[in-house]
Amino acid sequence: MDVFHGVLHEDLQGWFDPVLISLQETDTLVCAEYQISYRGRMAQFLGLSDRADQTTTLPITIEYCYPHYRSHLQGISALYLMRLPVGPTESRSFAMFFFKVRLPKWSLRWLQPLLNSVLRRFFLLKFIAQDREMMESEQQTHLTHPEQLYVEINPAIIAVQRLTVRQYEHFVQRSSGELPANRRKEILGIVSSE
Ligand SMILES: [Fe+2]
C-alpha cells in the first residue's frame, strides 16, 4: 500500500501530489509522514476545504506495522487496515475507516445509518475495488514474469520492504534456523511485487 498511487483513485476525488516529509524506521515499524493535497466535493464534505474547487494540503501519517497499516489525517480521518496472509500470493484485508463530518450532533442519530450505507456503497467499496484490482494485477505480473527486476523509488516503501524481509527472517529463524539465500531472494521478489 503506497500513497503514491493517488492517481488510481483520481475519479473518486482522492488525494494527489504526495510529498514525503519524514520517515522513521524501527525493527518492527515504519512511520512515514506525507503532505498530500485534496480537492473536490468529497474534500468539501469532509471539511478539508470550504469550496469544492479549492485545494487543501495536509499532513498525513502512515504507519506500517507489517502486515498491518494505519493512517491518520490530522484530526479528520483514520484508517486501520488489518491484513491476514492466507497463502504465498493471497491475503485477506479488514478495514475500519473513521472520519469527522460537519453535521449537527442531533442529526447524526438519524443520518449516521444512511451515511454509513451511502459512503460504503458509493465511496469506500469503490476505493477498495480499485486497490484490489491494482494488487491482483501486480501479483499476476510477478507470477507471469518472476525474473523481471522491479525498481522502487519511494524510500518509505523501500523501508517497508526491509521491514517485511526482517519479519520473515525472524519468523524463519524462530521456526527453522537460517533463511537460505535463494529463499531470501525469492521473498524479496515477492515483496517487490506488492
Ligand atoms: Fe488505494
Side-chain angles (χ1 to χ4, degrees):
M1 185 72 72
D2 177 358
V3 299
F4 278 86
H5 72 270
V7 68
L8 177 72
H9 302 306
E10 214 169 13
D11 60 327
L12 296 175
Q13 301 179 357
W15 65 94
F16 58 95
D17 288 348
V19 178
L20 181 64
I21 53 177
S22 78
L23 179 62
Q24 292 174 305
E25 184 179 0
T26 70
D27 207 33
T28 55
L29 183 80
V30 172
C31 181
E33 192 179 11
Y34 294 86
Q35 288 280 5
I36 50 175
S37 298
Y38 286 90
R39 189 173 48 222
R41 276 171 296 158
M42 183 50 69
Q44 187 182 19
F45 173 73
L46 291 175
L48 302 178
S49 58
D50 293 327
R51 296 197 328 260
D53 60 351
Q54 189 181 346
T55 299
T56 303
T57 300
L58 286 172
I60 185 167
T61 303
I62 297 170
E63 291 174 297
Y64 303 91
C65 186
Y66 184 83
H68 311 304
Y69 163 104
R70 57 181 177 247
S71 70
H72 296 268
L73 180 63
Q74 210 183 47
I76 304 286
S77 69
L79 171 69
Y80 295 83
L81 183 69
M82 287 147 288
R83 303 181 76 192
L84 173 68
V86 292
T89 61
E90 194 179 342
S91 64
R92 288 192 189 127
S93 296
F94 307 85
M96 288 191 289
F97 183 52
F98 302 89
F99 60 93
K100 250 185 184 174
V101 291
R102 290 195 300 182
L103 292 169
K105 261 190 179 170
W106 59 263
S107 68
L108 284 180
R109 187 176 165 200
W110 313 103
L111 282 177
Q112 195 168 345
L114 179 67
L115 268 179
N116 282 348
S117 166
V118 168
L119 287 173
R120 181 184 153 85
R121 184 166 170 200
F122 296 103
F123 185 65
L124 297 177
L125 289 182
K126 288 185 176 182
F127 261 96
I128 289 169
Q130 290 178 339
D131 285 332
R132 187 169 56 206
E133 188 183 352
M134 173 183 71
M135 302 290 274
E136 287 176 353
S137 164
E138 286 182 352
Q139 183 65 54
Q140 197 51 51
T141 301
H142 174 70
L143 292 174
T144 311
H145 306 286
E147 73 295 336
Q148 189 173 325
L149 291 176
Y150 170 83
V151 178
E152 176 57 63
I153 57 167
N154 181 355
I157 298 302
I158 295 169
V160 173
Q161 291 176 342
R162 282 195 297 265
L163 170 67
T164 308
V165 172
R166 267 200 310 277
Q167 292 191 336
Y168 183 78
E169 286 176 335
H170 287 164
F171 166 74
V172 170
Q173 280 164 9
R174 276 199 311 270
S175 53
S176 62
E178 289 293 312
L179 182 65
N182 61 339
R183 183 65 182 133
R184 188 175 198 279
K185 200 174 163 191
E186 195 182 318
I187 294 300
L188 277 165
I190 290 171
V191 168
S192 297
S193 75
E194 283 187 350

